[in-house]
Amino acid sequence: MNASLAKKMSFLVVSVVFICCCRSHGVTAANKPIQTFVIPHSHMDVGWVYTIQESMHAYAANVYTSVTEELSKAEDRRFIAVEQEFFRLWWDTAATDSHKRKVRQLVKEGRLEFIIGGQVMHDEAVTDLDDEILQMTEGHGFLYETFGVRPQFSWHVDPFGASATTPVLFALAGFDAHLISRIDYDLKDTMQKNKKLQFVWRGSPSLKEKQQIFTHVMDQFSYCTPSYVPFSNSSGFYWNGVALFPDPPKDGVYPNMSVPVTKETVHAYAKTMVENIKQRAAWFRTNHVLWPWGCDKQFYNSSVQFNNMDPLMKYINQNSKDFGVTVQYATLGEYFQAIHQSDLVWELRGSEDFLPYSTEPHQAWTGFYASRNVLKGVARRASAQLHAAETLFTRYRISFPDGPVAKDWALDKLRALRWAVSEVQHHDGITGTESPKVADMYLQHLLQAMMGVEELLAALFLLPHNLDQHVIVYNPLAWNTTTIINFTVTFPTAAVFDDDGQPVPAQVSNATYDLFIVVELGGLQQRKYLIKFSEKECSGTLKCGWTYEAKGVLFERLNVRDWLKTGRRLLPVLNQCYKLMFDQDTNLLHSITYLPEKRRVRMTQDFWEYHANGDVKAGPISDNYIFSANGSAVRAYEAVAMEIIPGKIVTEIRQLFFREEGDQDYAFSITTRVPECFGSRLPCHRLEQTYSLGPLRLNTEVVLRTSSSLENNKTLYTDDNGYQMMKRTHRKFANNTVARNYFPMVRTAYIEDELSRLVLVSDRAHGVSSQADGQLEVMLHRRLWNNLAWNLGYNLTLNDSSVVRPTLWMMLGSVSATAGLYQREAIELHPNNVITVLTPWQEKEPKERSPLRSVVLPPNLHLLSLSIPGWNYSSNHSVHLSHVHSGNDMRSEPDYDRVLLRIMHLFEEGEDPELSKPVTINLKDVLRGIGEVKVLEERSLTGTRDITSLQRWKWKTADNLETSDAFTVTISPKEIRTFFVHFASRNF
């Protein structure tokens, strides 16, 4: 199968194997008709080739208008609605009052079923846990407030591979069953033959049966109706044809409309459909077949669809004895209900995932792990800013309920950024697999919403207007932290003072005017710093405020061809944790010694590149999705320059890599910052590295290669969505071994041997691999073009000429030393601290509010969320349903008093002797720094269910969920617990 057909399965041509033999269907008698559940759906990408606005205009709005009308005409008709962004846009901008009344009735009757319920069908490989939860919470809140429904099932039919974190999150949200489709072609074939496409998945090795979930893998036909119809050259069972962009045809005649169902054609259609149903039935254990009816951009003219399918289904049912098949319209819930009632014992699957994903031997979908690096970075920064703003607004709202920051205005700013961050999690968004104009749309939505939240942060900080510069730093984590912040200034000399007027350790680089400041912050606290600038050097500790001017030392630029003897002249850079040795014969890193354990590891870092084939006639190609290495990687540079800038706060090593010996401008760079551990307060164990790459040459894919003396046997560990680590054992394949051994790294990756572990944590998603013993390579940037007609037609060739500047933090030490560090480091890099620079300074400042009290959790617990969602619904489900069914079409005013709190245990069972233990905390005590907790309710992950009444379906081995009393809760390894918190009101 080529990439164009594999991408969306829209017009998948499969030779139908006719199955005429009788067979046994699990516990059902062999002669009983196969019960077929025809599930009408439309797969609507929130992005991909066309912008959201273009899709709404061309077809998406018509899907919901037309489906609403058609379902109301016949009681047996059904439809599942998947992507909430399109539905919400339709509901808010296009639906009439009549449509809304009909939708409410259809939802009440269960004939229109909301599946997944998130804003989008999120990607599973490069999305972060925080953002997956956010987009689900946004969609679930809307659905519950508006209709009183809580989704129970997933429909993850199109993400490019399946992570083990997703089923855990869906179980935590109260889902009863999970559905996926895209897994390796050879694995799916084996599972089909052995009737193992359905199983109970225990996605977390720590939570085990607590969050297991029944999982259905779609067969080889995936989510699209088979397009093979012997007598038709059109699109099979899509009688409404193919959507047209930018404008629908005025006469309603679309291209590729299938031959209508008539008396003359009905038997041929029935024969084709029945044969396909029987083929599918052979792959499953029960007598029930899920037959998805739909595909990309379908049902925009659903009257044509239903008016053709109705007589076809009627004909099959009238001849069910001859066909051995019955058919019925169904929701996904009706199908899973039938499977659940079969009462079979299901095979268990552990925490292994289905990544990476390949559609054929030469098509490994591992390129998108690194596609559109800029978009991945902006999306992560937006998520970090949102997290900080949510916690800050929540604190402000509790402390100053009648404060000057308008609550409606503030919530609008937050909701705009929630929406932008949610939509980019779409499986053709954060993945970088969309067209350039859609990537620009995502970036525009993110940046506009981020600007709005910057206004909100400025208002919440109540910023004064004065002379010099004034910096406010906020810590959005519930941990005390000491860290270094930095930004570029315009003067060579600066003095920094805290809000008590005391000098603060700081450093300015004379080369780039980078100002580094050591800051200490309590959990959820903010501090203010005054920066005084001068063009002249100052003298005296008091006047300069401890500021140190760092001056760089340049080293000779060296050509690779002159590297005859290396390792003779080694230059050390030390702090309390590490001794880094740099080779003056190459200008590269030579080794690192972890000083507390006196353990030395040989290590080199540099840039290599894979050359991609751009001609489909010459062999496999790389594109937005696929990485198909055209041979081994080659060195991407011919010369290296180095500058070392020693400092009292941080020492910088800047390495510049030149593509050609004679180039004046460097193509790549590594800036390594070694913290100098002021006193013992500043963590010395992380080495902060920032890279610069680009513009790349066409059809190159550039990796940072870290080569070490670790004996890892090419075994790698990478994170699933920032939630859990997965062991990645190197495998050999007949074809494409390099690409099929690439894995997604969302936050963390490491390699290890018996003595040491090398850890990288990242500020955005990348592809990562271990292609040789001791090697850890990270794909940082890609620029590709090919002549595949499908890619050219949709503008999906990834001619990305941008310059990217990702960041990785590196740690080295024993397994025990790093085990207690990397989770927290990944989180500290993910949200980071929000820095607001203000000008000018005012000599007489307004009276300050009392400082915020700190909120500190134990080191193995993480404050995942602290926000005011604003959704207004009763915590009592029966009460809320009565309100919804009263016929009130107006959504309620936002609830500003309900706080959504999530706390996550960072460690796996057995990972650390102390940090992996369950933790018991009193939330009233923990949250005292915010206010007095009056009411605490434990909820499902997205907040729409009371955990005490949540009863998920039992699949033979499921256990009842545990609950806690009063304000004391115990959080076990890898648990995420969600609460509604109400604080006592304050009067000032």
Side-chain angles (χ1 to χ4, degrees), residues 170-329:
F170 286 162
L172 287 167
F175 283 25
D176 288 312
H178 179 39
L179 184 146
I180 62 176
S181 182
R182 290 185 181 268
I183 66 173
D184 271 354
Y185 68 98
D186 46 0
L187 176 60
K188 179 174 283 194
D189 185 58
T190 300
M191 293 172 74
Q192 280 186 174
K193 290 176 181 176
N194 297 320
K195 297 186 184 181
K196 292 188 175 183
L197 290 172
Q198 295 172 321
F199 49 86
V200 172
W201 198 352
R202 292 181 175 174
S204 164
S206 294
L207 298 179
K208 301 183 183 71
E209 70 277 2
K210 285 185 179 180
Q211 297 304 335
Q212 68 186 19
I213 191 167
F214 180 82
T215 303
H216 173 104
V217 182
M218 282 189 154
D219 56 46
Q220 70 185 46
F221 296 97
S222 190
Y223 63 87
C224 289
T225 308
S227 58
Y228 176 78
V229 176
F231 56 87
S232 173
N233 292 323
S234 296
S235 52
F237 296 86
Y238 311 134
W239 292 281
N240 59 189
V242 177
L244 284 180
F245 288 81
D247 296 310
K250 293 180 180 179
D251 61 2
V253 177
Y254 289 80
N256 289 357
M257 295 180 74
S258 297
V259 174
V261 175
T262 63
K263 290 181 180 179
E264 291 73 28
T265 63
V266 67
H267 181 77
Y269 266 118
K271 185 173 180 291
T272 300
M273 185 173 179
V274 166
E275 286 165 347
N276 181 256
I277 289 168
K278 288 183 175 180
Q279 182 180 8
R280 292 172 186 261
W283 298 327
F284 294 92
R285 293 177 60 197
T286 75
N287 202 43
H288 313 98
V289 170
L290 187 161
W291 204 80
W293 178 36
C295 197
D296 292 32
K297 300 178 283 292
Q298 285 293 309
F299 283 87
Y300 49 82
N301 191 354
S302 60
S303 63
V304 178
Q305 289 285 79
F306 283 111
N307 287 338
N308 279 278
M309 183 59 85
D310 285 352
L312 173 57
M313 291 175 60
K314 181 179 179 181
Y315 181 83
I316 292 173
N317 287 332
Q318 287 174 340
N319 298 278
S320 62
K321 288 185 179 181
D322 294 331
F323 285 128
V325 166
T326 63
V327 291
Q328 65 187 77
Y329 290 125

Side-chain angles (χ1 to χ4, degrees), residues 496-536:
V496 183
F497 303 90
D498 65 17
D499 40 17
D500 294 325
Q502 297 300 309
V504 175
Q507 170 184 317
V508 178
S509 165
N510 71 334
T512 57
Y513 290 179
D514 278 339
L515 175 63
F516 299 89
I517 306 172
V518 178
V519 299
E520 294 182 79
L521 293 162
L524 301 188
Q525 278 193 324
Q526 66 192 56
R527 292 197 69 179
K528 179 178 61 180
Y529 297 89
L530 167 65
I531 306 173
K532 291 183 174 289
F533 293 108
S534 172
E535 294 184 359
K536 300 177 181 179

Side-chain angles (χ1 to χ4, degrees), residues 618-634:
I621 52 95
S622 286
D623 64 9
N624 285 29
Y625 314 89
I626 294 166
F627 172 39
S628 185
N630 188 16
S632 301
V634 297

Side-chain angles (χ1 to χ4, degrees), residues 113-170:
E113 183 177 53
F114 292 102
I115 299 298
I116 307 176
Q119 280 289 92
V120 298
M121 185 187 298
H122 68 254
D123 172 65
E124 299 192 43
V126 298
T127 42
D128 188 272
L129 171 81
D130 294 0
D131 305 323
E132 292 178 351
I133 295 173
L134 169 72
Q135 71 89 19
M136 287 172 60
T137 302
E138 273 297 281
H140 287 193
F142 165 78
L143 288 175
Y144 191 53
E145 183 182 79
T146 309
F147 303 110
V149 298
R150 285 98 47 108
Q152 289 178 257
F153 312 103
S154 86
W155 181 262
H156 257 227
V157 296
D158 202 29
F160 320 134
S163 86
T165 299
T166 302
V168 175
L169 297 184
F170 286 162

Side-chain angles (χ1 to χ4, degrees), residues 456-515:
L456 171 60
L457 289 170
L460 293 174
F461 285 137
L462 295 179
L463 307 179
H465 300 283
N466 20 52
L467 274 179
D468 286 325
Q469 274 195 323
H470 177 119
V471 177
I472 290 180
V473 186
Y474 174 63
N475 174 20
L477 304 174
W479 298 318
N480 295 330
T481 183
T482 301
T483 189
I484 297 173
I485 63 170
N486 79 285
F487 45 89
T488 302
V489 294
T490 54
F491 292 94
T493 305
V496 183
F497 303 90
D498 65 17
D499 40 17
D500 294 325
Q502 297 300 309
V504 175
Q507 170 184 317
V508 178
S509 165
N510 71 334
T512 57
Y513 290 179
D514 278 339
L515 175 63

